[in-house]
Amino acid sequence: MKLKEQFNQKGLRITKQRQIVMEVVEKHKGRHLSSSEIFELVKENYSGIGLATIYRTLPLLEKMKLLSKICLDDGCVRYEPYAPKEQEHHHLICVKCGAVYEVEADLLGIEEKQIIMNNHFSTQNYMVKLYGYCKTCAEEDVV
Amino acid sequence: MKLKEQFNQKGLRITKQRQIVMEVVEKHKGRHLSSSEIFELVKENYSGIGLATIYRTLPLLEKMKLLSKICLDDGCVRYEPYAPKEQEHHHLICVKCGAVYEVEADLLGIEEKQIIMNNHFSTQNYMVKLYGYCKTCAEEDVV
DNA sequence: TACATGATGATAATAATTATCAGTATCACG
DNA sequence: CGTGATACTGATAATTATTATCATCATGTA
């Protein structure tokens, strides 16, 4: 496995805790788990885990591009398995009910990317979040 | 001023505090002020203000579409003056140095909007955030 | 001007996250 | 297969951002 090398290169160690955190997030692909949700799920397999370890592990796995951090503006940081470029997906966040939907599409056209390039911004691995109203909420509210 | 009516309609009162908060955010258009930054700035003009008032006022002004909330994923909520549709702008966030740039362009093409519509999501007043590397950081890092 | 009640300031309470530190486990090396 | 250097962990204290509480104050209508 290349993972081991990736860790060793940086003097990092592969621990049981780190492995289980990875497993849990991968198992729940499609969800957007908060740190404390991950804590609860990890405890099911490894009851001795400490919350501090969760908070230390998640940013580390993010830096290693094993997880992606997402902020859905609900007051906590969330994580999902890292998606390579080809499987990039974006989030539609309903500002009313908070529901989160995913769109698996490259939402930026070539022209738009050009605009960003012109700003000297390299959007390798970008992420788009759209705020709006989901079907249900759009019908209720006549905004 | 239509503002007064807008407040009265909902049984809300126009207070000195609310006015100064608005003034401060408008005065710093282009910046993305956090709640505590706004607190500090308001104190310069109105030293008696309480932090709780800031936290009560900002979401209220947001609901009235006088301010926009932005989350730049740095652990706090930020605000900027509300931008009507024509002046919509988006944020480029450097994941390395945290710098925030603005692009004043409609980043989603018609096709892309269609994709979103197909998901039954009405993106009236959407906001796009792009994560990536700014010029400086892209040069340092060979990602 | 007076009053009904919405708004405020001070502060206690929560919630998410970070820092500290002594004890533990990993893994390179022999 | 030890063993030791040190990275990692769990427990917990400390921070930081935000929300709730409540007595007092100020707005705007009558």
Side-chain angles (χ1 to χ4, degrees), chain A residues 42-57:
Chain A
V42 171
K43 274 202 287 194
E44 290 174 11
N45 295 299
Y46 193 84
S47 60
I49 193 135
L51 182 55
T53 299
I54 299 291
Y55 277 106
R56 273 183 299 240
T57 303

Side-chain angles (χ1 to χ4, degrees), chain A:
Chain A
M1 196 190 286
K2 223 168 68 180
L3 193 75
K4 197 178 163 72
E5 288 167 29
Q6 211 184 131
F7 270 74
N8 291 349
Q9 260 185 3
K10 311 198 178 186
L12 298 171
R13 291 171 182 174
I14 299 185
T15 64
K16 187 106 189 180
Q17 290 88 334
R18 289 175 181 175
Q19 288 175 55
I20 297 184
V21 168
M22 264 315 292
E23 281 169 24
V24 159
V25 181
E26 268 173 355
K27 188 176 169 188
H28 292 84
K29 186 173 176 170
R31 289 186 60 187
H32 312 97
L33 298 169
S34 69
S35 306
S36 56
E37 283 168 350
I38 293 168
F39 179 50
E40 293 304 325
L41 289 167
V42 171
K43 274 202 287 194
E44 290 174 11
N45 295 299
Y46 193 84
S47 60
I49 193 135
L51 182 55
T53 299
I54 299 291
Y55 277 106
R56 273 183 299 240
T57 303
L58 292 171
L60 183 137
L61 295 176
E62 193 209 347
K63 259 173 224 132
M64 307 204 64
K65 291 191 189 285
L66 295 170
L67 299 183
S68 295
K69 170 178 155 181
I70 348 164
C71 299
L72 300 181
D73 307 352
D74 63 347
C76 66
V77 171
R78 293 171 179 279
Y79 294 87
E80 62 183 7
Y82 182 82
K85 235 173 191 165
E86 318 85 57
Q87 298 162 35
E88 212 157 56
H89 64 276
H90 303 289
H91 298 99
L92 308 181
I93 304 166
C94 178
V95 293
K96 194 170 177 212
C97 70
V100 180
Y101 304 85
E102 299 192 344
V103 219
E104 296 203 16
D106 187 351
L107 289 180
L108 300 192
I110 292 176
E111 282 177 53
E112 289 76 19
K113 281 177 179 160
Q114 193 58 52
I115 293 171
I116 296 165
M117 296 279 278
N118 292 345
N119 282 341
H120 307 298
F121 197 81
S122 89
T123 47
Q124 296 217 13
N125 197 24
Y126 69 93
M127 196 181 268
V128 181
K129 293 201 290 186
L130 289 129
Y131 302 85
Y133 290 85
C134 70
K135 197 186 182 183
T136 320
C137 291
E139 281 168 3
E140 289 171 15
D141 253 16
V142 184
V143 182

